Amino acid sequence: MKAEYLYRLTFKILTLFCFLFLLSTPLHASRSASNLDKVYLLKIENFLNGIKNLSSDFIQNHSGSISRGKFHLSRPGKMRIEYNSQPNLLITVNGSVLTYKDLELDEISNLSTNTTPASLLTRKNISFKAKDISISSLTIGDEQVSVTVVKKNRPEAGKFRLIFDKDVTEFRKMEVIDDLNQVVTVKLLNITYPEKLPSRLFYIKSSNLPF
């Protein structure tokens, strides 16, 4: 039961973060695009493609339950999610291998990224031509822009909304809405874009090993 719970939790966490930075979204017949829509979608695509390395704090809110931690991204293919408290997990992605560690039990498990939303990390270029995602809404307001997408082959993962400032120069937050209309929000704080991140961030060693 513990392993199944952790897998589901890991899948949900990775869904949040992978859609946050590795969105690859087509514009399908479910939503026709105006010229203004296309301009903003291109801005979002360019903004995400411009990210090579990123480090930040994050706050995750799920039905009033607040979690905090550190997030590191190195594109393509590397990611680290480190919670300060509950859920007591450390997650890394390095190429085709996803590793998560239950810090309470000191147990490590490995998965193929192809079985999780982290498979999006293998894509070097973020474009709007993939066929596995459709846009359900694009909202252009006076102070912010938001795009809501659905992954076609993972409808149970829910809808994902990315929210930017009006000029799409700053990411504000992300929301995932499940089939019960429950909302999980992730907000990044103290964002930096370092030229390089240490490779050790994207590996997890067992404390039981002598090296």
Side-chain angles (χ1 to χ4, degrees):
M1 291 295 292
K2 178 74 172 179
E4 182 180 356
Y5 166 76
L6 285 176
Y7 178 82
R8 289 178 179 176
L9 183 60
T10 301
F11 184 90
K12 197 165 192 175
I13 293 167
L14 284 168
T15 297
L16 285 166
F17 283 98
C18 288
F19 274 91
L20 177 61
F21 284 105
L22 301 163
L23 181 65
S24 183
T25 311
L27 199 60
H28 291 296
S30 60
R31 187 184 193 282
S32 58
S34 67
N35 288 335
L36 184 61
D37 288 347
K38 292 177 182 178
V39 167
Y40 274 96
L41 290 172
L42 182 60
K43 283 185 177 183
I44 294 171
E45 180 182 280
N46 290 339
F47 176 83
L48 297 175
N49 273 318
I51 297 171
K52 171 61 177 174
N53 297 307
L54 181 148
S55 292
S56 75
D57 301 316
F58 71 84
I59 298 177
Q60 178 179 303
N61 186 336
H62 184 199
S63 301
S65 177
I66 306 297
S67 300
R68 299 173 184 268
K70 296 280 188 180
F71 175 66
H72 302 283
L73 175 74
S74 184
R75 298 184 57 240
K78 296 179 181 179
M79 183 172 66
R80 179 185 177 99
I81 304 167
E82 183 175 359
Y83 283 85
N84 294 340
S85 55
Q86 297 297 326
N88 212 353
L89 291 175
L90 173 61
I91 302 167
T92 63
V93 173
N94 197 320
S96 62
V97 179
L98 179 151
T99 303
Y100 66 90
K101 182 175 183 179
D102 183 333
L103 298 176
E104 290 182 356
L105 301 179
D106 193 26
E107 290 182 352
I108 295 177
S109 298
N110 294 305
L111 299 170
S112 167
T113 55
N114 290 330
T115 66
T116 75
S119 61
L120 295 174
L121 284 167
T122 61
R123 302 178 186 181
K124 293 183 179 181
N125 182 56
I126 299 168
S127 74
F128 291 99
K129 297 179 181 178
K131 297 179 180 180
D132 56 344
I133 297 174
S134 63
I135 295 174
S136 65
S137 68
L138 176 68
T139 303
I140 302 169
D142 292 335
E143 297 183 357
Q144 66 183 32
V145 176
S146 69
V147 58
T148 304
V149 300
V150 178
K151 199 165 190 295
K152 287 189 170 182
N153 61 348
R154 287 287 185 181
E156 73 277 8
K159 296 181 179 179
F160 303 90
R161 181 177 298 129
L162 300 172
I163 302 171
F164 302 86
D165 68 319
K166 179 64 181 292
D167 296 323
V168 194
T169 58
E170 174 188 324
F171 173 78
R172 292 188 172 174
K173 64 180 179 178
M174 175 192 160
E175 297 174 344
V176 56
I177 304 99
D178 65 18
D179 53 359
L180 298 177
N181 285 324
Q182 293 182 327
V183 180
V184 179
T185 301
V186 172
K187 184 175 183 179
L188 300 187
L189 305 170
N190 305 317
I191 299 173
T192 61
Y193 301 95
E195 289 190 14
K196 190 175 182 179
L197 289 172
S199 58
R200 59 177 172 77
L201 286 175
F202 308 105
Y203 292 93
I204 298 177
K205 290 184 178 180
S206 172
S207 60
N208 296 324
L209 294 176
F211 53 86

